[in-house]
Amino acid sequence: MVDVQHWLSALPPVAVYLIVAGVIGVESMGVPLPGEIVLVSSALLAATGVVEPEWVATAAAFGAIVGDSVGYAVGRRGGRPLLVRLGRRFPKHLGTAQLARAEQSFARHGVWAVFFGRFVALLRILAGPLAGALHVPYRRFLLANAAGGLVWAFGTTYLLYYLGRAAEHWLKDISWAGLVLAVLAGLGSTWWLRRRARRLERAETTDEAEPARAGSDR
């Protein structure tokens, strides 16, 4: 991430905004790209005054909303076969297991999976195409998509912006501040996601075990 931040710092601000919007937009269409890394790096650059946080957040939100909408249209047109083809092309990120988990999230949470999916790496990539393939009504999808994109983009940008400004007071080297923030954010999100995944696994195991017990009782 430090390398990405260093690379972005050599570019003019307009180019940074375009890269943020472009990378996040393409990622939201269903292509695995490091959208969150680009956003975090740009937000930390904003803390140093290289770019403006409001434009970073606006670019990220624009990319997220438009990219998800394009992904929705592609998924609606291509259906599940398209998702299967994407899984073959990117098996590590969009394989059969990942697709199954994403479908389970949609089945359990409906359109809320689009909103909260913006904060989860897997669903951030699959939310648009999967919602289209499952024929989620576009108005409902757009509302959840826009809300999630705005909260994620502005929340992430300004949280890291203010943390970076505070850290810069104590750490003169912003790269170290970025590293510390990235590690803390990564540990926190990993803990939350693992806890969530364990709950889902326990619930699914219970659901699968109940019919087996009923059969054995007979």
Side-chain angles (χ1 to χ4, degrees):
M1 192 198 71
V2 175
D3 291 337
V4 174
Q5 184 182 336
H6 178 74
W7 177 70
L8 290 173
S9 66
L11 300 175
V14 174
V16 175
Y17 306 141
L18 291 175
I19 289 172
V20 170
V23 172
I24 292 174
V26 174
E27 179 192 45
S28 301
M29 294 178 195
V31 180
L33 289 179
E36 194 164 44
I37 291 177
V38 171
L39 177 58
V40 169
S41 300
S42 301
L44 292 172
L45 278 181
T48 67
V50 175
V51 292
E52 298 297 329
E54 62 269 24
W55 286 109
V56 171
T58 300
F62 177 82
I65 295 170
V66 173
D68 267 343
S69 294
V70 173
Y72 175 92
V74 172
R76 191 175 182 88
R77 185 178 182 86
R80 185 179 175 83
L82 172 67
L83 299 175
V84 174
R85 288 197 298 272
L86 282 173
R88 294 196 191 106
R89 188 174 182 84
F90 306 105
K92 183 178 179 180
H93 299 88
L94 307 177
T96 303
Q98 290 86 344
L99 178 58
R101 287 202 300 272
E103 286 184 317
Q104 288 171 2
S105 295
F106 267 84
R108 287 177 177 271
H109 308 296
V111 74
W112 283 105
V114 178
F115 178 88
F116 290 109
R118 178 49 55 183
F119 302 88
V120 181
L122 171 63
L123 284 178
R124 186 163 55 248
I125 300 172
L126 280 175
L130 189 56
L134 296 176
H135 292 276
V136 174
Y138 181 69
R139 288 186 179 180
R140 294 177 59 200
F141 167 79
L142 181 60
L143 179 62
N145 172 34
L150 288 168
V151 172
W152 174 74
F154 279 85
T156 300
T157 298
Y158 277 96
L159 173 64
L160 291 173
Y161 171 74
Y162 286 116
L163 285 175
R165 292 291 297 270
E168 191 179 18
H169 180 73
W170 302 102
L171 300 171
K172 299 302 182 183
D173 188 352
I174 191 63
S175 296
W176 281 105
L179 180 60
V180 171
L181 292 173
V183 170
L184 291 176
L187 290 174
S189 61
T190 300
W191 173 82
W192 186 85
L193 289 174
R194 287 181 176 175
R195 183 181 179 188
R196 181 73 175 173
R198 282 196 294 267
R199 286 182 178 178
L200 291 175
E201 288 175 358
R202 283 197 296 268
E204 290 165 5
T205 301
T206 302
D207 293 340
E208 293 173 356
E210 286 178 354
R213 291 196 199 99
S216 63
D217 291 340
R218 295 195 193 99

